[in-house]
PDB file of all heavy atoms in Angstrom:
ATOM      1  N   GLN A 213     -39.596 -28.549 -14.052  1.00  0.00           N
ATOM      2  CA  GLN A 213     -39.590 -28.270 -15.476  1.00  0.00           C
ATOM      3  C   GLN A 213     -38.961 -29.415 -16.248  1.00  0.00           C
ATOM      4  O   GLN A 213     -39.469 -29.826 -17.289  1.00  0.00           O
ATOM      5  CB  GLN A 213     -38.910 -26.971 -15.798  1.00  0.00           C
ATOM      6  CG  GLN A 213     -39.630 -25.714 -15.408  1.00  0.00           C
ATOM      7  CD  GLN A 213     -38.776 -24.489 -15.642  1.00  0.00           C
ATOM      8  OE1 GLN A 213     -37.604 -24.589 -15.951  1.00  0.00           O
ATOM      9  NE2 GLN A 213     -39.432 -23.308 -15.508  1.00  0.00           N
ATOM     10  N   LEU A 214     -37.858 -29.949 -15.718  1.00  0.00           N
ATOM     11  CA  LEU A 214     -37.182 -31.033 -16.429  1.00  0.00           C
ATOM     12  C   LEU A 214     -38.014 -32.299 -16.434  1.00  0.00           C
ATOM     13  O   LEU A 214     -38.007 -33.049 -17.375  1.00  0.00           O
ATOM     14  CB  LEU A 214     -35.796 -31.275 -15.800  1.00  0.00           C
ATOM     15  CG  LEU A 214     -34.777 -30.186 -16.042  1.00  0.00           C
ATOM     16  CD1 LEU A 214     -33.538 -30.438 -15.213  1.00  0.00           C
ATOM     17  CD2 LEU A 214     -34.427 -30.082 -17.523  1.00  0.00           C
ATOM     18  N   VAL A 215     -38.722 -32.527 -15.380  1.00  0.00           N
ATOM     19  CA  VAL A 215     -39.630 -33.708 -15.293  1.00  0.00           C
ATOM     20  C   VAL A 215     -40.763 -33.503 -16.268  1.00  0.00           C
ATOM     21  O   VAL A 215     -41.178 -34.409 -16.976  1.00  0.00           O
ATOM     22  CB  VAL A 215     -40.159 -33.917 -13.838  1.00  0.00           C
ATOM     23  CG1 VAL A 215     -41.332 -34.892 -13.865  1.00  0.00           C
ATOM     24  CG2 VAL A 215     -39.043 -34.396 -12.962  1.00  0.00           C
ATOM     25  N   ALA A 216     -41.295 -32.260 -16.334  1.00  0.00           N
ATOM     26  CA  ALA A 216     -42.448 -32.012 -17.221  1.00  0.00           C
ATOM     27  C   ALA A 216     -42.097 -32.135 -18.702  1.00  0.00           C
ATOM     28  O   ALA A 216     -42.892 -32.550 -19.501  1.00  0.00           O
ATOM     29  CB  ALA A 216     -43.008 -30.596 -16.946  1.00  0.00           C
ATOM     30  N   ILE A 217     -40.841 -31.765 -19.028  1.00  0.00           N
ATOM     31  CA  ILE A 217     -40.392 -31.922 -20.412  1.00  0.00           C
ATOM     32  C   ILE A 217     -40.309 -33.378 -20.786  1.00  0.00           C
ATOM     33  O   ILE A 217     -40.650 -33.794 -21.900  1.00  0.00           O
ATOM     34  CB  ILE A 217     -39.028 -31.241 -20.643  1.00  0.00           C
ATOM     35  CG1 ILE A 217     -39.192 -29.708 -20.489  1.00  0.00           C
ATOM     36  CG2 ILE A 217     -38.420 -31.567 -21.977  1.00  0.00           C
ATOM     37  CD1 ILE A 217     -37.874 -28.969 -20.444  1.00  0.00           C
ATOM     38  N   GLY A 218     -39.884 -34.210 -19.846  1.00  0.00           N
ATOM     39  CA  GLY A 218     -39.754 -35.631 -20.130  1.00  0.00           C
ATOM     40  C   GLY A 218     -38.665 -35.892 -21.153  1.00  0.00           C
ATOM     41  O   GLY A 218     -37.642 -35.293 -21.134  1.00  0.00           O
ATOM     42  N   ASP A 219     -38.912 -36.852 -22.029  1.00  0.00           N
ATOM     43  CA  ASP A 219     -37.950 -37.191 -23.054  1.00  0.00           C
ATOM     44  C   ASP A 219     -38.214 -36.464 -24.377  1.00  0.00           C
ATOM     45  O   ASP A 219     -37.588 -36.732 -25.405  1.00  0.00           O
ATOM     46  CB  ASP A 219     -37.895 -38.719 -23.271  1.00  0.00           C
ATOM     47  CG  ASP A 219     -39.243 -39.233 -23.805  1.00  0.00           C
ATOM     48  OD1 ASP A 219     -40.196 -38.482 -23.872  1.00  0.00           O
ATOM     49  OD2 ASP A 219     -39.313 -40.435 -24.060  1.00  0.00           O
ATOM     50  N   GLY A 220     -39.143 -35.527 -24.368  1.00  0.00           N
ATOM     51  CA  GLY A 220     -39.454 -34.782 -25.574  1.00  0.00           C
ATOM     52  C   GLY A 220     -40.677 -35.368 -26.285  1.00  0.00           C
ATOM     53  O   GLY A 220     -41.328 -34.670 -27.016  1.00  0.00           O
ATOM     54  N   LYS A 221     -40.971 -36.618 -26.068  1.00  0.00           N
ATOM     55  CA  LYS A 221     -42.105 -37.286 -26.711  1.00  0.00           C
ATOM     56  C   LYS A 221     -43.287 -37.338 -25.797  1.00  0.00           C
ATOM     57  O   LYS A 221     -44.405 -36.990 -26.127  1.00  0.00           O
ATOM     58  CB  LYS A 221     -41.736 -38.667 -27.167  1.00  0.00           C
ATOM     59  CG  LYS A 221     -40.652 -38.716 -28.198  1.00  0.00           C
ATOM     60  CD  LYS A 221     -40.239 -40.115 -28.528  1.00  0.00           C
ATOM     61  CE  LYS A 221     -39.044 -40.102 -29.432  1.00  0.00           C
ATOM     62  NZ  LYS A 221     -38.486 -41.432 -29.626  1.00  0.00           N
ATOM     63  N   THR A 222     -43.047 -37.823 -24.548  1.00  0.00           N
ATOM     64  CA  THR A 222     -44.097 -37.942 -23.522  1.00  0.00           C
ATOM     65  C   THR A 222     -43.747 -37.083 -22.343  1.00  0.00           C
ATOM     66  O   THR A 222     -42.638 -37.238 -21.739  1.00  0.00           O
ATOM     67  CB  THR A 222     -44.260 -39.397 -23.082  1.00  0.00           C
ATOM     68  OG1 THR A 222     -42.993 -39.871 -22.628  1.00  0.00           O
ATOM     69  CG2 THR A 222     -44.772 -40.287 -24.201  1.00  0.00           C
ATOM     70  N   PRO A 223     -44.559 -36.153 -21.975  1.00  0.00           N
ATOM     71  CA  PRO A 223     -44.260 -35.277 -20.809  1.00  0.00           C
ATOM     72  C   PRO A 223     -44.417 -36.043 -19.504  1.00  0.00           C
ATOM     73  O   PRO A 223     -45.202 -36.923 -19.363  1.00  0.00           O
ATOM     74  CB  PRO A 223     -45.282 -34.163 -20.956  1.00  0.00           C
ATOM     75  CG  PRO A 223     -46.394 -34.751 -21.679  1.00  0.00           C
ATOM     76  CD  PRO A 223     -45.842 -35.769 -22.609  1.00  0.00           C
ATOM     77  N   GLY A 224     -43.594 -35.633 -18.558  1.00  0.00           N
ATOM     78  CA  GLY A 224     -43.664 -36.231 -17.216  1.00  0.00           C
ATOM     79  C   GLY A 224     -44.631 -35.412 -16.358  1.00  0.00           C
ATOM     80  O   GLY A 224     -45.157 -34.396 -16.738  1.00  0.00           O
ATOM     81  N   GLU A 225     -44.837 -35.898 -15.134  1.00  0.00           N
ATOM     82  CA  GLU A 225     -45.804 -35.275 -14.244  1.00  0.00           C
ATOM     83  C   GLU A 225     -45.326 -35.410 -12.809  1.00  0.00           C
ATOM     84  O   GLU A 225     -45.032 -36.527 -12.327  1.00  0.00           O
ATOM     85  CB  GLU A 225     -47.160 -35.945 -14.414  1.00  0.00           C
ATOM     86  CG  GLU A 225     -48.201 -35.472 -13.399  1.00  0.00           C
ATOM     87  CD  GLU A 225     -49.438 -36.330 -13.463  1.00  0.00           C
ATOM     88  OE1 GLU A 225     -49.465 -37.392 -14.081  1.00  0.00           O
ATOM     89  OE2 GLU A 225     -50.439 -35.895 -12.842  1.00  0.00           O
ATOM     90  N   VAL A 226     -45.242 -34.295 -12.070  1.00  0.00           N
ATOM     91  CA  VAL A 226     -44.924 -34.320 -10.676  1.00  0.00           C
ATOM     92  C   VAL A 226     -46.212 -34.550  -9.902  1.00  0.00           C
ATOM     93  O   VAL A 226     -47.170 -33.817 -10.036  1.00  0.00           O
ATOM     94  CB  VAL A 226     -44.278 -32.971 -10.203  1.00  0.00           C
ATOM     95  CG1 VAL A 226     -44.051 -32.967  -8.740  1.00  0.00           C
ATOM     96  CG2 VAL A 226     -42.967 -32.770 -10.948  1.00  0.00           C
ATOM     97  N   THR A 227     -46.252 -35.609  -9.107  1.00  0.00           N
ATOM     98  CA  THR A 227     -47.480 -35.967  -8.390  1.00  0.00           C
ATOM     99  C   THR A 227     -47.518 -35.429  -6.961  1.00  0.00           C
ATOM    100  O   THR A 227     -48.570 -35.200  -6.425  1.00  0.00           O
ATOM    101  CB  THR A 227     -47.680 -37.479  -8.367  1.00  0.00           C
ATOM    102  OG1 THR A 227     -46.549 -38.101  -7.800  1.00  0.00           O
ATOM    103  CG2 THR A 227     -47.892 -38.016  -9.747  1.00  0.00           C
ATOM    104  N   LYS A 228     -46.304 -35.270  -6.342  1.00  0.00           N
ATOM    105  CA  LYS A 228     -46.297 -34.832  -4.965  1.00  0.00           C
ATOM    106  C   LYS A 228     -45.007 -34.127  -4.674  1.00  0.00           C
ATOM    107  O   LYS A 228     -43.924 -34.540  -5.102  1.00  0.00           O
ATOM    108  CB  LYS A 228     -46.427 -36.064  -4.046  1.00  0.00           C
ATOM    109  CG  LYS A 228     -46.501 -35.736  -2.583  1.00  0.00           C
ATOM    110  CD  LYS A 228     -46.674 -37.015  -1.802  1.00  0.00           C
ATOM    111  CE  LYS A 228     -46.671 -36.789  -0.337  1.00  0.00           C
ATOM    112  NZ  LYS A 228     -46.670 -37.988   0.470  1.00  0.00           N
ATOM    113  N   VAL A 229     -45.080 -33.007  -3.933  1.00  0.00           N
ATOM    114  CA  VAL A 229     -43.918 -32.303  -3.423  1.00  0.00           C
ATOM    115  C   VAL A 229     -44.012 -32.225  -1.895  1.00  0.00           C
ATOM    116  O   VAL A 229     -44.976 -31.658  -1.386  1.00  0.00           O
ATOM    117  CB  VAL A 229     -43.800 -30.861  -4.009  1.00  0.00           C
ATOM    118  CG1 VAL A 229     -42.636 -30.117  -3.429  1.00  0.00           C
ATOM    119  CG2 VAL A 229     -43.752 -30.939  -5.507  1.00  0.00           C
ATOM    120  N   ASP A 230     -43.096 -32.839  -1.233  1.00  0.00           N
ATOM    121  CA  ASP A 230     -43.115 -32.842   0.250  1.00  0.00           C
ATOM    122  C   ASP A 230     -41.900 -32.099   0.747  1.00  0.00           C
ATOM    123  O   ASP A 230     -40.769 -32.567   0.661  1.00  0.00           O
ATOM    124  CB  ASP A 230     -43.064 -34.309   0.723  1.00  0.00           C
ATOM    125  CG  ASP A 230     -43.194 -34.409   2.243  1.00  0.00           C
ATOM    126  OD1 ASP A 230     -43.564 -33.423   2.890  1.00  0.00           O
ATOM    127  OD2 ASP A 230     -42.913 -35.495   2.760  1.00  0.00           O
ATOM    128  N   THR A 231     -42.128 -30.909   1.297  1.00  0.00           N
ATOM    129  CA  THR A 231     -41.068 -30.076   1.847  1.00  0.00           C
ATOM    130  C   THR A 231     -40.901 -30.444   3.309  1.00  0.00           C
ATOM    131  O   THR A 231     -41.813 -30.287   4.125  1.00  0.00           O
ATOM    132  CB  THR A 231     -41.392 -28.592   1.709  1.00  0.00           C
ATOM    133  OG1 THR A 231     -41.646 -28.282   0.346  1.00  0.00           O
ATOM    134  CG2 THR A 231     -40.226 -27.729   2.207  1.00  0.00           C
ATOM    135  N   ARG A 232     -39.736 -30.946   3.649  1.00  0.00           N
ATOM    136  CA  ARG A 232     -39.433 -31.359   5.019  1.00  0.00           C
ATOM    137  C   ARG A 232     -38.971 -30.241   5.901  1.00  0.00           C
ATOM    138  O   ARG A 232     -38.886 -30.386   7.106  1.00  0.00           O
ATOM    139  CB  ARG A 232     -38.430 -32.495   5.023  1.00  0.00           C
ATOM    140  CG  ARG A 232     -38.841 -33.728   4.293  1.00  0.00           C
ATOM    141  CD  ARG A 232     -39.880 -34.452   5.085  1.00  0.00           C
ATOM    142  NE  ARG A 232     -40.457 -35.572   4.404  1.00  0.00           N
ATOM    143  CZ  ARG A 232     -40.291 -36.832   4.746  1.00  0.00           C
ATOM    144  NH1 ARG A 232     -39.556 -37.099   5.775  1.00  0.00           N
ATOM    145  NH2 ARG A 232     -40.912 -37.785   4.070  1.00  0.00           N
ATOM    146  N   GLY A 233     -38.599 -29.134   5.329  1.00  0.00           N
ATOM    147  CA  GLY A 233     -38.152 -27.985   6.080  1.00  0.00           C
ATOM    148  C   GLY A 233     -36.689 -28.111   6.505  1.00  0.00           C
ATOM    149  O   GLY A 233     -35.957 -28.994   6.010  1.00  0.00           O
ATOM    150  N   LYS A 234     -36.245 -27.200   7.383  1.00  0.00           N
ATOM    151  CA  LYS A 234     -34.862 -27.235   7.796  1.00  0.00           C
ATOM    152  C   LYS A 234     -34.617 -28.279   8.863  1.00  0.00           C
ATOM    153  O   LYS A 234     -35.461 -28.532   9.709  1.00  0.00           O
ATOM    154  CB  LYS A 234     -34.488 -25.880   8.364  1.00  0.00           C
ATOM    155  CG  LYS A 234     -34.402 -24.797   7.348  1.00  0.00           C
ATOM    156  CD  LYS A 234     -33.815 -23.512   7.877  1.00  0.00           C
ATOM    157  CE  LYS A 234     -33.728 -22.453   6.822  1.00  0.00           C
ATOM    158  NZ  LYS A 234     -33.147 -21.230   7.292  1.00  0.00           N
ATOM    159  N   ARG A 235     -33.460 -28.890   8.772  1.00  0.00           N
ATOM    160  CA  ARG A 235     -33.078 -29.902   9.795  1.00  0.00           C
ATOM    161  C   ARG A 235     -31.538 -29.945   9.917  1.00  0.00           C
ATOM    162  O   ARG A 235     -30.832 -29.511   9.022  1.00  0.00           O
ATOM    163  CB  ARG A 235     -33.603 -31.295   9.458  1.00  0.00           C
ATOM    164  CG  ARG A 235     -33.004 -31.921   8.224  1.00  0.00           C
ATOM    165  CD  ARG A 235     -33.593 -33.284   7.967  1.00  0.00           C
ATOM    166  NE  ARG A 235     -32.673 -34.039   7.153  1.00  0.00           N
ATOM    167  CZ  ARG A 235     -31.843 -34.968   7.636  1.00  0.00           C
ATOM    168  NH1 ARG A 235     -31.808 -35.226   8.923  1.00  0.00           N
ATOM    169  NH2 ARG A 235     -31.041 -35.594   6.833  1.00  0.00           N
ATOM    170  N   ARG A 236     -31.096 -30.458  11.016  1.00  0.00           N
ATOM    171  CA  ARG A 236     -29.689 -30.569  11.301  1.00  0.00           C
ATOM    172  C   ARG A 236     -29.189 -31.862  10.671  1.00  0.00           C
ATOM    173  O   ARG A 236     -29.803 -32.939  10.830  1.00  0.00           O
ATOM    174  CB  ARG A 236     -29.413 -30.590  12.804  1.00  0.00           C
ATOM    175  CG  ARG A 236     -28.005 -30.569  13.185  1.00  0.00           C
ATOM    176  CD  ARG A 236     -27.865 -30.149  14.641  1.00  0.00           C
ATOM    177  NE  ARG A 236     -26.479 -30.094  15.028  1.00  0.00           N
ATOM    178  CZ  ARG A 236     -25.645 -29.107  14.779  1.00  0.00           C
ATOM    179  NH1 ARG A 236     -26.097 -28.029  14.119  1.00  0.00           N
ATOM    180  NH2 ARG A 236     -24.408 -29.122  15.187  1.00  0.00           N
ATOM    181  N   LEU A 237     -28.050 -31.823   9.996  1.00  0.00           N
ATOM    182  CA  LEU A 237     -27.480 -32.990   9.330  1.00  0.00           C
ATOM    183  C   LEU A 237     -26.769 -33.825  10.382  1.00  0.00           C
ATOM    184  O   LEU A 237     -26.289 -33.361  11.391  1.00  0.00           O
ATOM    185  CB  LEU A 237     -26.512 -32.543   8.258  1.00  0.00           C
ATOM    186  CG  LEU A 237     -27.077 -31.775   7.064  1.00  0.00           C
ATOM    187  CD1 LEU A 237     -25.988 -31.242   6.208  1.00  0.00           C
ATOM    188  CD2 LEU A 237     -27.979 -32.692   6.294  1.00  0.00           C
ATOM    189  N   ALA A 238     -26.715 -35.123  10.106  1.00  0.00           N
ATOM    190  CA  ALA A 238     -26.023 -36.063  11.013  1.00  0.00           C
ATOM    191  C   ALA A 238     -24.512 -35.827  10.997  1.00  0.00           C
ATOM    192  O   ALA A 238     -23.829 -36.032  12.014  1.00  0.00           O
ATOM    193  CB  ALA A 238     -26.341 -37.494  10.643  1.00  0.00           C
ATOM    194  N   TYR A 239     -24.019 -35.398   9.878  1.00  0.00           N
ATOM    195  CA  TYR A 239     -22.599 -35.059   9.749  1.00  0.00           C
ATOM    196  C   TYR A 239     -22.476 -33.942   8.724  1.00  0.00           C
ATOM    197  O   TYR A 239     -23.322 -33.771   7.838  1.00  0.00           O
ATOM    198  CB  TYR A 239     -21.793 -36.298   9.268  1.00  0.00           C
ATOM    199  CG  TYR A 239     -22.275 -36.911   7.977  1.00  0.00           C
ATOM    200  CD1 TYR A 239     -21.786 -36.485   6.742  1.00  0.00           C
ATOM    201  CD2 TYR A 239     -23.264 -37.890   8.008  1.00  0.00           C
ATOM    202  CE1 TYR A 239     -22.266 -37.047   5.601  1.00  0.00           C
ATOM    203  CE2 TYR A 239     -23.710 -38.477   6.831  1.00  0.00           C
ATOM    204  CZ  TYR A 239     -23.192 -38.026   5.619  1.00  0.00           C
ATOM    205  OH  TYR A 239     -23.652 -38.594   4.443  1.00  0.00           O
ATOM    206  N   PRO A 240     -21.426 -33.138   8.788  1.00  0.00           N
ATOM    207  CA  PRO A 240     -21.287 -31.987   7.874  1.00  0.00           C
ATOM    208  C   PRO A 240     -21.099 -32.452   6.431  1.00  0.00           C
ATOM    209  O   PRO A 240     -20.359 -33.440   6.144  1.00  0.00           O
ATOM    210  CB  PRO A 240     -20.040 -31.276   8.369  1.00  0.00           C
ATOM    211  CG  PRO A 240     -19.811 -31.760   9.764  1.00  0.00           C
ATOM    212  CD  PRO A 240     -20.380 -33.129   9.832  1.00  0.00           C
ATOM    213  N   ILE A 241     -21.754 -31.777   5.528  1.00  0.00           N
ATOM    214  CA  ILE A 241     -21.586 -31.988   4.101  1.00  0.00           C
ATOM    215  C   ILE A 241     -21.151 -30.668   3.494  1.00  0.00           C
ATOM    216  O   ILE A 241     -21.881 -29.673   3.663  1.00  0.00           O
ATOM    217  CB  ILE A 241     -22.902 -32.452   3.428  1.00  0.00           C
ATOM    218  CG1 ILE A 241     -23.424 -33.758   4.060  1.00  0.00           C
ATOM    219  CG2 ILE A 241     -22.710 -32.623   1.936  1.00  0.00           C
ATOM    220  CD1 ILE A 241     -24.761 -34.202   3.560  1.00  0.00           C
ATOM    221  N   LYS A 242     -19.964 -30.654   2.912  1.00  0.00           N
ATOM    222  CA  LYS A 242     -19.430 -29.422   2.360  1.00  0.00           C
ATOM    223  C   LYS A 242     -19.373 -28.308   3.398  1.00  0.00           C
ATOM    224  O   LYS A 242     -19.705 -27.156   3.153  1.00  0.00           O
ATOM    225  CB  LYS A 242     -20.207 -28.961   1.123  1.00  0.00           C
ATOM    226  CG  LYS A 242     -20.179 -29.905  -0.042  1.00  0.00           C
ATOM    227  CD  LYS A 242     -20.931 -29.383  -1.220  1.00  0.00           C
ATOM    228  CE  LYS A 242     -20.982 -30.381  -2.357  1.00  0.00           C
ATOM    229  NZ  LYS A 242     -21.788 -29.893  -3.474  1.00  0.00           N
ATOM    230  N   LYS A 243     -19.038 -28.671   4.595  1.00  0.00           N
ATOM    231  CA  LYS A 243     -18.890 -27.789   5.773  1.00  0.00           C
ATOM    232  C   LYS A 243     -20.225 -27.157   6.197  1.00  0.00           C
ATOM    233  O   LYS A 243     -20.251 -26.124   6.856  1.00  0.00           O
ATOM    234  CB  LYS A 243     -17.848 -26.730   5.507  1.00  0.00           C
ATOM    235  CG  LYS A 243     -16.478 -27.303   5.259  1.00  0.00           C
ATOM    236  CD  LYS A 243     -15.416 -26.227   5.051  1.00  0.00           C
ATOM    237  CE  LYS A 243     -14.070 -26.840   4.821  1.00  0.00           C
ATOM    238  NZ  LYS A 243     -13.081 -25.812   4.556  1.00  0.00           N
ATOM    239  N   LYS A 244     -21.331 -27.707   5.819  1.00  0.00           N
ATOM    240  CA  LYS A 244     -22.670 -27.274   6.208  1.00  0.00           C
ATOM    241  C   LYS A 244     -23.248 -28.251   7.221  1.00  0.00           C
ATOM    242  O   LYS A 244     -23.054 -29.448   7.115  1.00  0.00           O
ATOM    243  CB  LYS A 244     -23.583 -27.191   4.970  1.00  0.00           C
ATOM    244  CG  LYS A 244     -23.058 -26.393   3.857  1.00  0.00           C
ATOM    245  CD  LYS A 244     -22.986 -24.952   4.208  1.00  0.00           C
ATOM    246  CE  LYS A 244     -22.462 -24.181   3.017  1.00  0.00           C
ATOM    247  NZ  LYS A 244     -22.450 -22.700   3.234  1.00  0.00           N
ATOM    248  N   VAL A 245     -23.893 -27.721   8.228  1.00  0.00           N
ATOM    249  CA  VAL A 245     -24.493 -28.605   9.262  1.00  0.00           C
ATOM    250  C   VAL A 245     -26.051 -28.593   9.289  1.00  0.00           C
ATOM    251  O   VAL A 245     -26.620 -29.350   9.957  1.00  0.00           O
ATOM    252  CB  VAL A 245     -23.979 -28.227  10.668  1.00  0.00           C
ATOM    253  CG1 VAL A 245     -22.494 -28.501  10.785  1.00  0.00           C
ATOM    254  CG2 VAL A 245     -24.258 -26.785  11.003  1.00  0.00           C
ATOM    255  N   GLU A 246     -26.668 -27.709   8.468  1.00  0.00           N
ATOM    256  CA  GLU A 246     -28.102 -27.658   8.343  1.00  0.00           C
ATOM    257  C   GLU A 246     -28.514 -27.724   6.871  1.00  0.00           C
ATOM    258  O   GLU A 246     -27.762 -27.281   6.026  1.00  0.00           O
ATOM    259  CB  GLU A 246     -28.664 -26.409   8.968  1.00  0.00           C
ATOM    260  CG  GLU A 246     -28.624 -26.446  10.512  1.00  0.00           C
ATOM    261  CD  GLU A 246     -29.417 -25.303  11.113  1.00  0.00           C
ATOM    262  OE1 GLU A 246     -29.627 -24.283  10.443  1.00  0.00           O
ATOM    263  OE2 GLU A 246     -29.822 -25.407  12.285  1.00  0.00           O
ATOM    264  N   SER A 247     -29.726 -28.234   6.637  1.00  0.00           N
ATOM    265  CA  SER A 247     -30.203 -28.384   5.262  1.00  0.00           C
ATOM    266  C   SER A 247     -31.696 -28.197   5.243  1.00  0.00           C
ATOM    267  O   SER A 247     -32.404 -28.233   6.206  1.00  0.00           O
ATOM    268  CB  SER A 247     -29.856 -29.720   4.732  1.00  0.00           C
ATOM    269  OG  SER A 247     -30.604 -30.755   5.365  1.00  0.00           O
ATOM    270  N   GLN A 248     -32.167 -27.980   4.014  1.00  0.00           N
ATOM    271  CA  GLN A 248     -33.595 -27.974   3.677  1.00  0.00           C
ATOM    272  C   GLN A 248     -33.805 -29.221   2.837  1.00  0.00           C
ATOM    273  O   GLN A 248     -33.135 -29.438   1.869  1.00  0.00           O
ATOM    274  CB  GLN A 248     -34.000 -26.752   2.850  1.00  0.00           C
ATOM    275  CG  GLN A 248     -33.754 -25.375   3.525  1.00  0.00           C
ATOM    276  CD  GLN A 248     -34.136 -24.305   2.595  1.00  0.00           C
ATOM    277  OE1 GLN A 248     -35.128 -24.375   1.887  1.00  0.00           O
ATOM    278  NE2 GLN A 248     -33.320 -23.266   2.632  1.00  0.00           N
ATOM    279  N   ASP A 249     -34.773 -30.060   3.266  1.00  0.00           N
ATOM    280  CA  ASP A 249     -35.007 -31.337   2.558  1.00  0.00           C
ATOM    281  C   ASP A 249     -36.334 -31.298   1.824  1.00  0.00           C
ATOM    282  O   ASP A 249     -37.307 -30.794   2.360  1.00  0.00           O
ATOM    283  CB  ASP A 249     -35.024 -32.483   3.496  1.00  0.00           C
ATOM    284  CG  ASP A 249     -33.624 -32.676   4.190  1.00  0.00           C
ATOM    285  OD1 ASP A 249     -32.712 -31.957   3.851  1.00  0.00           O
ATOM    286  OD2 ASP A 249     -33.547 -33.532   5.053  1.00  0.00           O
TER     287      ASP A 249
END
């Protein structure tokens, strides 16, 4: 939605969404070891 709004004058456009799924992180981030990318 924020991309589509753009700067208010010209709307943006999402061209591709690539869901990488769940994966194990190389190191913990905020005490989490798995993520969705």
Side-chain angles (χ1 to χ4, degrees):
Q213 288 175 351
L214 290 171
V215 168
I217 291 171
D219 62 356
K221 298 175 186 171
T222 54
E225 173 189 13
V226 175
T227 56
K228 184 179 176 185
V229 177
D230 184 15
T231 304
R232 298 288 174 112
K234 290 188 179 183
R235 67 180 202 100
R236 186 163 180 81
L237 296 171
Y239 57 90
I241 301 174
K242 297 181 183 177
K243 299 182 181 178
K244 306 292 181 177
V245 293
E246 287 189 338
S247 69
Q248 299 178 41
D249 297 356

